Amino acid sequence: MKRAPAALGASSVWCPGHPERSVPAHPSASQRIPARRSVSRERSMRRAGSGSPGSSPGSSAGARGAALALALCALCALPAPVPACSCAPAHPQQLLCDAALVIRAKISSEKVVPASDDPLDSHKMIRYEIKQIKMFKGFEKLKDVQYVYTPFDSSLCGVKLEANNKKQYLLTGQILNDGKVLIHLCNYIEPWDDLSLSQKKSLNQRYQMGCGCKITTCYSVPCSITAPNECLWTDWLLERRLQGHQARHYACIRRSDGTCSWYRGGPPPEKEFMDISEP
């Protein structure tokens, strides 16, 4: 949205290429000082350190104003900041249900490659060569995954992984029409050793049993379920973090009567959780 330049003075300097931006200029020396000066006045000005004959305080002030105008015009041409990647909060179960592929793998190597075959497309991708250890989801489309791709720029939600063939990751992502696997920061991607025992066990079947349930994030009280197939996710409300005990130890599972509720798997966590609803 363009803003009209502020009227800060009688005249202004126009910024080339940015007509909507201008900066005020100082009045010139001829506007403030008479053209004819006496010799005695000129000598007194030299004694006062005003400069050589023919110069004036107004001319130096005008030069400073012009320099300031050029500096501000240079600021006009600065590029806008690049927006950062942002993802909506989601419980791990939701992220796994939304993913087309879920695997456990090591990263063998990485290589920067063009994003497409179009020579005019300047975007790049990182191609990670992986060693698949186990597939939890995606059997019907792929049997074995050799490469996964992610945007090169972090502002486009690119993922940076350690390609040392040692660290294992849980990778979730999407399968493109050409068979390539795309991963980004909004997927659920975690070092395998950082997962809880309950999360690891839930990967086989438990999370998928709850894909028909809806997990609602509770940010403040009161919050309540609006449908029988909802589970309230309260990690942010109780712990002020998203990867709390409920994310690490609970799955939202559909019961035989069609309702959904939290199920705790693995060793019992330190805290008990309950749905927070209006009285």
Side-chain angles (χ1 to χ4, degrees):
M1 181 176 65
K2 295 184 177 181
R3 295 180 299 175
L8 298 178
S11 60
S12 61
V13 177
W14 174 72
C15 292
H18 300 273
E20 74 278 9
R21 301 185 183 183
S22 60
V23 294
H26 291 283
S28 64
S30 60
Q31 291 176 314
R32 299 193 303 168
I33 302 175
R36 297 184 62 182
R37 295 179 296 174
S38 65
V39 175
S40 60
R41 183 181 179 187
E42 189 171 284
R43 288 175 179 172
S44 64
M45 290 173 63
R46 286 203 301 268
R47 286 196 299 268
S50 300
S52 61
S55 66
S56 68
S59 61
S60 60
R64 287 194 301 271
L68 177 61
L70 291 176
L72 292 176
C73 283
L75 292 176
C76 294
L78 290 177
V82 178
C85 170
S86 60
C87 308
H91 189 277
Q93 176 177 320
Q94 286 178 286
L95 297 174
L96 270 74
C97 288
D98 292 341
L101 181 80
V102 180
I103 59 174
R104 175 185 178 185
K106 292 181 179 180
I107 313 300
S108 301
S109 64
E110 63 178 281
K111 183 179 180 180
V112 179
V113 298
S116 68
D117 296 330
D118 186 353
L120 299 180
D121 187 359
S122 61
H123 292 91
K124 301 293 184 182
M125 302 281 284
I126 298 178
R127 186 186 70 187
Y128 289 110
E129 183 179 4
I130 69 169
K131 180 181 179 181
Q132 179 178 306
I133 298 173
K134 185 175 183 178
M135 180 178 289
F136 300 97
K137 186 179 180 181
F139 308 98
E140 67 282 359
K141 293 186 178 181
L142 296 173
K143 299 301 180 184
D144 184 68
V145 180
Q146 185 178 4
Y147 300 104
V148 295
Y149 296 80
T150 191
F152 178 79
D153 295 322
S154 58
S155 62
L156 300 176
C157 298
V159 182
K160 304 300 181 184
L161 303 175
E162 295 183 21
N164 54 16
N165 205 28
K166 296 180 180 179
K167 195 170 187 177
Q168 298 182 25
Y169 289 92
L170 174 68
L171 302 177
T172 73
Q174 306 303 321
I175 303 173
L176 304 181
N177 293 333
D178 58 4
K180 291 181 179 179
V181 176
L182 178 67
I183 63 174
H184 50 73
L185 286 175
C186 296
N187 295 128
Y188 191 60
I189 299 175
E190 293 288 339
W192 182 258
D193 291 340
D194 290 353
L195 299 176
S196 68
L197 179 59
S198 178
Q199 287 177 314
K200 293 175 181 178
K201 289 184 175 181
S202 297
L203 293 171
N204 288 314
Q205 188 179 8
R206 190 177 299 153
Y207 280 151
Q208 296 186 48
M209 290 172 57
C211 285
C213 299
K214 179 182 178 181
I215 300 177
T216 302
T217 308
C218 187
Y219 295 105
S220 61
V221 291
C223 60
S224 60
I225 60 175
T226 57
N229 67 332
E230 282 187 64
C231 293
L232 288 181
W233 181 26
T234 58
D235 277 344
W236 180 257
L237 177 66
L238 300 180
E239 303 182 44
R240 284 297 181 261
R241 60 179 181 146
L242 295 175
Q243 298 304 317
H245 281 287
Q246 201 173 17
R248 292 178 57 80
H249 298 285
Y250 286 81
C252 181
I253 303 299
R254 182 185 291 274
R255 295 172 174 172
S256 57
D257 60 358
T259 62
C260 294
S261 63
W262 290 112
Y263 173 83
R264 185 179 67 197
E270 299 174 0
K271 298 180 180 180
E272 293 290 338
F273 286 87
M274 63 181 66
D275 286 350
I276 297 179
S277 57
E278 293 180 293

